[in-house]
Amino acid sequence: VHASYFVAHFDSENLNLDLPDFAHKLNSFLNMDVVIFGISKVQSDAHARFDAISRTYQYHMNLQKDPFVHETSWYFFRQPDIELMNEASRILFEYIDFTSFSKLHTEVKTNNCKIYLAEWTQFGKKIVFTVKADRFLRNMVRALVGTILEVGIGKISLDEFRMIIEQKDRSAAGLSVPAHGLFLKNIEYPETIFKRKE
């Protein structure tokens, strides 16, 4: 999975950090695959993973082979019905239990997620699925994409897609699409975790 936006936290006793300069210095040590865009001061108990209130992922596909994006998008050789896939995506808003799209035997207390956004867009030969939720299950986005694509190519109907969700059975859903097309796009946090600028 790629991340065009990612957040990490660390503890520091030096409260007088010159944050822009510190980010510049850290970037000088990192290879070209990783870059720090900014640093913010947060409350001492803030946690980059557990304080997040939403995350947004995008899955990128190409309808033609392209050597310049083969590591960051999945080549899919058929034109799916984007309008029909958006209809399927809107069905997701009616449910909170997404067991059918979760990797089996994961150590989570619940498979409930609240989806805020789920939509497909096409730009020429490029297709992007964007999904935003309060939390995601392991493998959930890739399984959603694989299953909704089956709607888009006429393999399953909208009613069958609804039944797959209601079965709460991973084996009922479609295959997971390859990981290299998936991007973590955004993470949102409550304003209360950030320290006010002095």
Side-chain angles (χ1 to χ4, degrees), residues 18-191:
D18 181 341
L19 298 183
D21 185 56
F22 185 49
H24 175 73
K25 289 178 180 176
L26 285 176
N27 279 323
S28 69
F29 289 100
L30 297 170
N31 64 34
M32 292 302 293
D33 293 330
V34 181
V35 61
I36 295 173
F37 292 117
I39 301 175
S40 300
K41 292 181 180 179
V42 294
Q43 304 297 337
S44 60
D45 60 348
H47 196 286
R49 178 182 174 194
F50 299 123
D51 284 332
I53 55 176
S54 77
R55 292 173 178 83
T56 302
Y57 283 91
Q58 284 189 337
Y59 193 85
H60 293 252
M61 298 167 48
N62 258 343
L63 297 178
Q64 65 182 15
K65 291 183 74 173
D66 186 338
F68 297 104
V69 296
H70 76 276
E71 293 182 350
T72 56
S73 69
W74 179 45
Y75 168 53
F76 189 72
F77 62 93
R78 293 177 63 178
Q79 171 66 61
D81 187 328
I82 300 297
E83 185 176 337
L84 196 57
M85 293 195 301
N86 274 320
E87 285 188 51
S89 297
R90 286 190 286 272
I91 292 173
L92 299 174
F93 302 140
E94 302 173 24
Y95 297 90
I96 60 170
D97 189 327
F98 293 99
T99 300
S100 292
F101 306 102
S102 174
K103 185 167 182 158
L104 297 174
H105 312 303
T106 58
E107 296 180 6
V108 294
K109 295 179 180 178
T110 176
N111 287 334
N112 290 354
C113 308
K114 176 66 176 174
I115 294 181
Y116 303 119
L117 171 71
E119 65 179 6
W120 294 81
T121 51
Q122 183 167 353
F123 314 91
K125 296 293 186 180
K126 296 182 179 181
I127 297 175
V128 178
F129 176 61
T130 303
V131 59
K132 175 182 177 181
D134 61 344
R135 64 190 290 266
F136 287 90
L137 307 172
R138 190 171 177 190
N139 201 52
M140 178 175 166
V141 179
R142 292 167 55 207
L144 279 172
V145 170
T147 308
I148 296 173
L149 270 174
E150 291 190 357
V151 175
I153 62 174
K155 189 173 180 181
I156 61 174
S157 67
L158 291 171
D159 286 339
E160 288 172 322
F161 179 66
R162 189 185 296 276
M163 288 173 56
I164 287 170
I165 300 172
E166 293 176 355
Q167 284 181 50
K168 302 176 185 178
D169 179 0
R170 178 64 188 95
S171 64
L175 296 175
S176 294
V177 291
H180 62 267
L182 184 61
F183 285 79
L184 175 61
K185 194 72 177 174
N186 193 33
I187 308 172
E188 292 181 328
Y189 294 93
E191 286 296 322

